[in-house]
Amino acid sequence: MKRLPAVGFSLTLMLGAALTWGVNAQTTAPTPLPTQSQPTAPPTTETQPTPAPATESENATLELIRKGDDGKERRIRIVRTGTTDETGIFTICSRQDDEPEDAPSLAVFSETGTGGIQITIDQNVIRVPLALVTQKDVPEGQEGSDGRIEASAGTARFLNNPPEGKTDRLSRCAVEATPVPTQGTVRVTQGKTELTGQKLVYDESDGIARIDGPIAFSRANDDGPLTGSSQRIEVDVDDEKTILVGNVVLTSKGGRVSKAGRVEYDDAANVARLIGTPEQPAESVQNGDILRAGVILYDLDRNEVVARKADGGTITGEFQDGEPGTGTPAATPTEVPVRPTLPVNPPGNSP
């Protein structure tokens, strides 16, 4: 049974200040034995003598470090927010003796408490009950490396002995992890936006974290929430983009319904970029007015949209006052605001 980290596998334990050191499987300091006290008359103001300072809580933390083609390092941080064995575990199951020298280590994070396991990817803070993190040993002189994350609902526990007949890594380390992907248990926060899904998988092969849906979406606005749904979420670590994918629908309290095959979402910039696909063009509808275009920029705070014509595409509109708008690549302007009072300059960056 091995519950020790592989050589070079770094972990940060938060003890007031961050320290980097070798870690054993136990993430909480042992509780001091109670001090035997002499019987005394009950005090008038306190029922117990003044206790010694308590041991500060420890949070198991691991970082994946990804180096993009641009040479920039991007970090994915995984933290177990709980600190007691009653609500979860943390352990690292290192390479076994009969495995190749470059066999990866497998870290298990589980936490049933409110904070769960917290995974930070770009602007997104993701909370799940269970995360399994695979990472190769860090080469000498290198701070860290990339890896793989599988996260969902579920639990993990230590076993008294490795189960007979099982040869998988965790069983050999006397650890049992039981993923149970469940709708709504992967919780994503980006600024004022909350999204939920059922399973997250990040892989170093392409640097994309995919969260399976159905995805439920909600953003708090002054004039009422913006809600929506999609089939999944993709977080592109290298490009630092969060994208809603597949049958994306955004609905505002004011009655605007916007749809697209893909939506690049940036809560900090207050903009969603609706990108049409052959299967599902970008479309925004309010009070019977319909706008369709290759790209629609949606100002999330003002609930306003601006259409942009994709290369070789068109912009079309249908309006209730009897002034239909149509366009062709030669005659249609590349940027058309929905009437009556949208800004000439669209929010966000140019596509």
Side-chain angles (χ1 to χ4, degrees), residues 309-328:
K309 179 172 67 66
D311 292 342
T314 63
I315 296 175
T316 65
E318 299 174 15
F319 305 102
Q320 291 300 301
D321 60 5
E323 299 178 7
T326 61
T328 65

Side-chain angles (χ1 to χ4, degrees), residues 71-109:
K72 182 179 178 181
E73 283 190 353
R74 296 170 177 87
R75 295 171 182 256
I76 299 174
R77 195 165 189 257
I78 306 101
V79 180
R80 182 190 169 209
T81 61
T83 58
T84 70
D85 294 338
E86 285 72 23
T87 59
I89 70 168
F90 167 77
T91 190
I92 297 175
C93 186
S94 58
R95 180 183 67 85
Q96 303 295 290
D97 293 338
D98 58 351
E99 292 181 322
E101 290 292 332
D102 62 348
S105 295
L106 179 57
V108 180
F109 292 79

Side-chain angles (χ1 to χ4, degrees), residues 244-275:
L244 308 178
V245 180
N247 296 323
V248 186
V249 180
L250 304 178
T251 304
S252 73
K253 184 179 180 182
R256 178 178 300 283
V257 178
S258 303
K259 301 179 180 180
R262 296 172 64 85
V263 173
E264 293 181 2
Y265 192 84
D266 190 337
D267 184 276
N270 299 316
V271 66
R273 188 169 181 260
L274 283 69
I275 304 169

Side-chain angles (χ1 to χ4, degrees), residues 4-78:
L4 295 176
V7 175
F9 199 106
S10 65
L11 188 87
T12 302
L13 294 187
M14 309 307 294
L15 292 168
L19 302 175
T20 302
W21 61 329
V23 182
N24 58 25
Q26 186 70 31
T27 63
T28 54
T31 303
L33 294 175
T35 302
Q36 191 73 26
S37 59
Q38 297 297 325
T40 59
T44 56
T45 58
E46 295 184 4
T47 58
Q48 295 292 337
T50 302
T55 302
E56 294 190 49
S57 61
E58 301 175 358
N59 296 101
T61 302
L62 173 67
E63 285 189 340
L64 300 183
I65 300 177
R66 179 174 182 81
K67 291 187 178 180
D69 294 337
D70 57 3
K72 182 179 178 181
E73 283 190 353
R74 296 170 177 87
R75 295 171 182 256
I76 299 174
R77 195 165 189 257
I78 306 101

Side-chain angles (χ1 to χ4, degrees), residues 155-208:
T155 57
R157 65 189 182 102
F158 294 122
L159 304 174
N160 291 329
N161 296 291
E164 294 183 6
K166 290 191 175 182
T167 59
D168 64 279
R169 173 73 71 78
L170 289 183
S171 294
R172 296 177 68 182
C173 290
V175 176
E176 179 183 78
T178 308
V180 185
T182 305
Q183 175 59 27
T185 54
V186 177
R187 297 171 292 156
V188 184
T189 301
Q190 186 185 128
K192 296 188 291 184
T193 302
E194 301 286 340
L195 307 98
T196 60
Q198 62 176 321
K199 182 180 179 180
L200 176 148
V201 176
Y202 165 80
D203 195 276
E204 63 182 340
S205 62
D206 59 9
I208 296 177

